[in-house]
Each structure stands twice: as C-alpha cells, then as structure tokens.
Amino acid sequence: MVRILSEDDVASVLDLEELLSVVAEAFEKQGEGAVERPERPHYPVGIGRDESDPERPLGTGLCMPAYVHGAAYAVTKLAAVFEGNEARGLPTVNAQIALTDADCGLPVGYLAGTLITNARTGCIGGLAARELAATGPVRLAVFGAGTQARWQTRAVAAATPLESVRVYSPSDSRERCASELDAELEAPVTAVSSPTAALEEATVVVTATTSTEPVFSGAALEPGTLVIAVGAYTPAMRELDAETVERAACVFADVPSEALETGDLREQAVDPIPFAAALSGEAGRRSDEEILVLSSVGSAVLDAAAAAFLFDRARSAGVGTEVSL
C-alpha cells in the first residue's frame, strides 16, 4: 500500500520549528558525506506549446533524487519552475515527492511536494540567520514578495529573535506580502518602495526572487550584514552584484559546486565554504563587523529528510490516503 499525502495533509503535520532541526541534521549528514545525491538534471519544458513562439520553453523541470545513509526511505522529487504562473494565479514552483522503501525498494509514499519544498528552503534561511547573523535582534530585509519570501521570513522568525521586517519588490505585491506576514508574526512587517529603504539598518538580507540582475547595490550594505541569497540556481539568474561578494569576509553555500555555477558567483573569484561547516561549528562569523554571504541552490538531501520526517508524522497520526498500485 502507498500512502498519499495531499498539500493539506502535509500542512496538518508541518511544524516549522521542528523542521529546522531536521534540515540542520540533513546538512550535517551532507557535510559528512553520509548521503547519496546524484546530479540533478534540469531541462526546458513546454517547447512547442506556445504557437506564437514555439521555440520558447514555458518552464524548467527538475529531477532531484537523494538518500541519507541509514534512512528508511530513498526519496525522489520531481519539480517544475514556471515563472509565468504568477499571472495565472498559480505557484511558480510545483513539486511531487516519491518515497521508496530503503529495505526492499517498494513504493511507500507519494507526497504533494510544493509546501515541503517551500518550508525546507525557508529553513535554510532560518538556520543561516541563527548561525551567521551578528549578535543581537535580527532586522530583516526581504527582496521578493512571493511564496519563498514568506517562508524565508517565517523561518527566520522561528529561528531568531526577529525585531522587524521590511519587504521590497518592484511590484505592488510587496504590500500584500507585508500585510499577510504582519498578521502572522509578532515582529512588525512593512512594505518599502526602494532597495535602499529595505537595507536601512538591516542586519540580515534575504533575496528570494527570479531576477537575472542584481536586486540591490552591495555598496549599501552595513558592516555586519548577513546576505542570504536563495533565488538564483542557474547561470542566467542573478540577485547579488560583484561588490556584495567582494565585500564578504566569507561566502557559504549549501552546495558549493552548484552555487559556483549560478549568476551570483560564476564570475567571482570565490571559494565557498560548505554551510554544513557553520552548523557543525567548524566555520562561522568571526566578528560582528563582517559581511557574510550564503548562496543557496537547494539540495535534494533536504527534501529527502523533510519528506521522510513529515511522512512518518502523517503515518503515525493516520493522516493521508492509502492506495494500492
């Protein structure tokens, strides 16, 4: 029997504070090399579907398999990124996750994966803020006003003493995003009309966009700022300018080899430190004056750990539907 978890099923067993610990442990396993994480192919989807421009892809498909040594399940995520979905009122990122029994290879679970992806990606920012932000309350600047901007903010709030949030996006979506987060969180959340206003007094900056151009000037960063860049995952995508990277005392990355291929880092002379080293205490902030950068492209290992954790919680609570394949 295979247990199917809908998005509502996943939401019913999701606890962000508990998931932070799960994602941290997954990072440590990855840092130890105690995982299997094949290269993730990504490929254009939708070529030939638009009659007015038949050569244009409509989105990107990704296949992300992983296994954490000793885990009960091998996990494969199938994801799709369609930037045009916002205009359709649909999520930009959609995903499904398959769980396979690690003892016998039989299918055991099939999960709606979009919420899992959003939450585990948010946890990257939350853990980075917890481990790498300067001493004191966090004043957060968020670039982007979509789903991931919300999850980054929620996770930072769950992981740190969050004092305030400023949200910037070039569209009016910033007002809606800020209003929704302000209603959820104890810290005040406000929308601002410029990158400069967002960066004012910020101690942590999150970029969660699909931009192909830098979204702020690195010259405007205050000493001690932590920059968490989660949007760029291809050579064409870019959120950070060269000055931001050059001013950084250290650049961390969840998957250094893949982060170096993004538009943020590919032209920079930088050797990223695995973020797992910050979680284990092997590396980190050396003073409250340092500017630090975390470049995140995401890892299937995090999907595997998060999906397994939520699947076991759902099964224990009797959540989901069992079917026979």
Side-chain angles (χ1 to χ4, degrees):
M1 300 295 288
V2 176
R3 183 175 295 271
I4 309 295
L5 299 185
S6 69
E7 201 86 337
D8 287 343
D9 293 333
V10 172
S12 73
V13 295
L14 176 62
D15 183 301
L16 199 53
E17 291 189 11
E18 292 187 11
L19 193 61
L20 282 163
S21 297
V22 172
V23 171
E25 183 178 353
F27 266 124
E28 291 175 11
K29 287 281 192 178
Q30 180 170 283
E32 295 165 2
V35 300
E36 304 299 325
R37 196 185 66 87
E39 290 188 14
R40 58 175 188 180
H42 55 84
Y43 53 93
V45 174
I47 295 173
R49 298 290 297 171
D50 184 351
E51 293 182 359
S52 65
D53 189 0
E55 298 302 316
R56 180 177 69 92
L58 302 180
T60 301
L62 300 95
C63 179
M64 302 173 64
Y67 178 65
V68 179
H69 294 183
Y73 317 110
V75 178
T76 301
K77 183 172 81 171
L78 301 176
V81 181
F82 279 66
E83 294 179 16
N85 274 3
E86 184 176 358
R88 304 183 181 100
L90 298 172
T92 300
V93 180
N94 291 280
Q96 310 88 46
I97 300 176
L99 271 61
T100 302
D101 192 304
D103 293 324
C104 63
L106 290 176
V108 292
Y110 195 70
L111 290 64
T114 303
L115 179 56
I116 296 172
T117 299
N118 289 332
R120 68 83 161 150
T121 304
C123 286
I124 298 171
L127 292 170
R130 188 186 77 186
E131 299 297 326
L132 297 175
T135 305
V138 168
R139 296 185 294 274
L140 180 64
V142 180
F143 286 79
T147 299
Q148 192 47 230
R150 290 164 167 81
W151 280 101
Q152 290 291 320
T153 304
R154 291 172 184 135
V156 172
T160 71
L162 183 61
E163 183 176 277
S164 64
V165 183
R166 293 181 178 182
V167 178
Y168 171 73
S169 172
S171 73
D172 291 340
S173 60
R174 62 180 180 260
E175 300 287 349
R176 184 169 61 257
C177 177
S179 177
E180 291 177 7
L181 289 171
D182 189 60
E184 285 184 37
L185 305 178
E186 294 183 8
V189 183
T190 57
V192 294
S193 59
S194 71
T196 301
L199 292 175
E200 187 177 348
E201 298 186 344
T203 60
V204 176
V205 176
V206 167
T207 60
T209 75
T210 57
S211 180
T212 57
E213 300 289 340
V215 296
F216 64 83
S217 169
L221 292 173
E222 295 288 338
T225 305
L226 167 66
V227 178
I228 303 167
V230 303
Y233 62 90
T234 71
M237 302 176 76
R238 186 176 186 184
E239 299 182 301
L240 308 183
D241 66 2
E243 187 162 0
T244 296
V245 178
E246 289 167 1
R247 292 187 67 193
C250 293
V251 175
F252 294 85
D254 50 3
V255 187
S257 61
E258 293 179 8
L260 283 171
E261 294 302 314
T262 69
D264 286 341
L265 301 183
R266 66 193 305 260
E267 296 180 359
Q268 309 302 319
V270 62
D271 185 15
I273 299 169
F275 181 52
L279 291 167
S280 68
E282 297 174 30
R285 177 175 289 278
R286 294 167 297 189
S287 81
D288 281 347
E289 299 302 305
E290 288 185 325
I291 291 174
L292 302 179
V293 168
L294 170 68
S295 176
S296 171
V297 295
S299 170
V301 171
L302 309 184
D303 295 307
F309 170 72
L310 295 168
F311 180 77
D312 283 342
R313 288 196 75 182
R315 187 164 60 178
S316 296
V319 172
T321 304
E322 289 195 333
V323 301
S324 177
L325 293 184

